[in-house]
Amino acid sequence: EAGVTQFPSHSVIEKGQTVTLRCDPISGHDNLYWYRRVMGKEIKFLLHFVKESKQDESGMPNNRFLAERTGGTYSTLKVQPAELEDSGVYFCASSHDLASEQFFGPGTRLTVL
Amino acid sequence: QKEVEQDPGPLSVPEGAIVSLNCTYSNSAFQYFMWYRQYSRKGPELLMYTYSSGNKEDGRFTAQVDKSSKYISLFIRDSQPSDSATYLCAMSGRETSYDKVIFGPGTSLSVIP
């Protein structure tokens, strides 16, 4: 069974540009989570989808971040415009249900110059 | 005060040693306690999961939770070079166990052959 995949693995952009990160969860997993780890800090929760609906987006830092999960399959996280402090590793995770283990993807390393 | 505190290390031990990793936390609402292992350039993978206080053993790994002291531990017996990774404690206090996980910053472990 394929795991959670994320694309790209690494993105380098300039401040003010737009970047879109993609996450493909494990097939059949209704729950999809986004997390990020900025330099020197712990991994922090961003938001949680159940199918195509946002269940909890309390961790989204500001309105420059937009997450979507059209059709309840893959998800995208867009940062527009990117700022220097957005640099870090963005992880996606999926789970079958809320009582099940979250499986993490390898992450997308975002560098904003 | 951070919700979850963890000594970042790095921790270096000889092969075969017993490793003790620890976290403290401040939120008494946490009920579910997890340890994740993260290899370089990979996403976190769940290693151990414990509900409330007590011990849990899985092969060379033992997880302990002391809710009265707000202290959790992971012990690795007969450590191997393949155990070299970053170990993240994590916890959740929501109604369901894996919802909105709060991570510690991680401890970097190196097991020297």
Side-chain angles (χ1 to χ4, degrees):
Chain A
E1 178 182 305
V4 177
T5 58
Q6 293 186 245
F7 183 84
S9 58
H10 193 184
S11 179
V12 181
I13 61 172
E14 292 189 352
K15 176 182 172 181
Q17 290 186 321
T18 298
V19 64
T20 300
L21 314 180
R22 174 172 170 143
C23 168
D24 285 78
I26 293 172
S27 177
H29 281 193
D30 287 340
N31 293 273
L32 188 150
Y33 304 80
W34 283 98
Y35 295 85
R36 77 170 178 177
R37 182 172 191 156
V38 297
M39 183 68 73
K41 302 282 190 178
E42 62 274 14
I43 297 173
K44 284 200 168 180
F45 167 85
L46 294 178
L47 87 160
H48 169 209
F49 283 99
V50 177
K51 297 185 180 180
E52 67 275 12
S53 300
K54 291 176 185 174
Q55 184 77 9
D56 182 350
E57 52 184 329
S58 60
M60 295 289 263
N62 52 61
N63 59 10
R64 296 186 292 104
F65 289 75
L66 175 65
E68 295 180 323
R69 193 183 182 195
T70 307
T73 53
Y74 72 91
S75 174
T76 58
L77 179 65
K78 180 190 287 188
V79 185
Q80 179 182 30
E83 298 290 343
L84 299 178
E85 64 265 25
D86 300 332
S87 295
V89 183
Y90 289 76
F91 292 103
C92 174
S94 72
S95 68
H96 183 266
D97 54 61
L98 291 179
S100 300
E101 174 185 355
Q102 294 182 24
F103 293 87
F104 282 77
T108 293
R109 184 174 298 273
L110 174 64
T111 302
V112 182
L113 303 175
Chain B
Q1 183 184 10
K2 289 186 177 180
E3 280 195 286
V4 180
E5 303 270 5
Q6 185 177 7
D7 186 340
L11 183 61
S12 184
V13 301
E15 183 175 354
I18 296 174
V19 177
S20 173
L21 305 169
N22 311 292
C23 285
T24 58
Y25 62 94
S26 57
N27 189 343
S28 58
F30 288 140
Q31 296 281 356
Y32 303 94
F33 303 91
M34 293 148 276
W35 285 94
Y36 285 82
R37 178 174 61 194
Q38 185 179 13
Y39 292 113
S40 181
R41 305 289 183 186
K42 301 286 187 181
E45 59 175 330
L46 184 66
L47 199 58
M48 298 284 283
Y49 160 80
T50 310
Y51 171 69
S52 194
S53 286
N55 294 359
K56 186 172 184 177
E57 188 173 321
D58 184 1
R60 296 184 295 111
F61 299 89
T62 300
Q64 289 184 350
V65 176
D66 181 350
K67 289 190 67 182
S68 63
S69 301
K70 298 190 180 68
Y71 188 86
I72 71 171
S73 301
L74 176 71
F75 297 95
I76 306 174
R77 292 183 298 280
D78 187 25
S79 56
Q80 302 295 308
S82 59
D83 295 328
S84 298
T86 296
Y87 289 81
L88 305 156
C89 63
M91 42 204 80
S92 175
R94 302 282 283 263
E95 290 182 5
T96 53
S97 54
Y98 292 102
D99 198 14
K100 197 171 181 181
V101 174
I102 308 297
F103 284 90
T107 298
S108 176
L109 171 67
S110 293
V111 181
I112 311 301

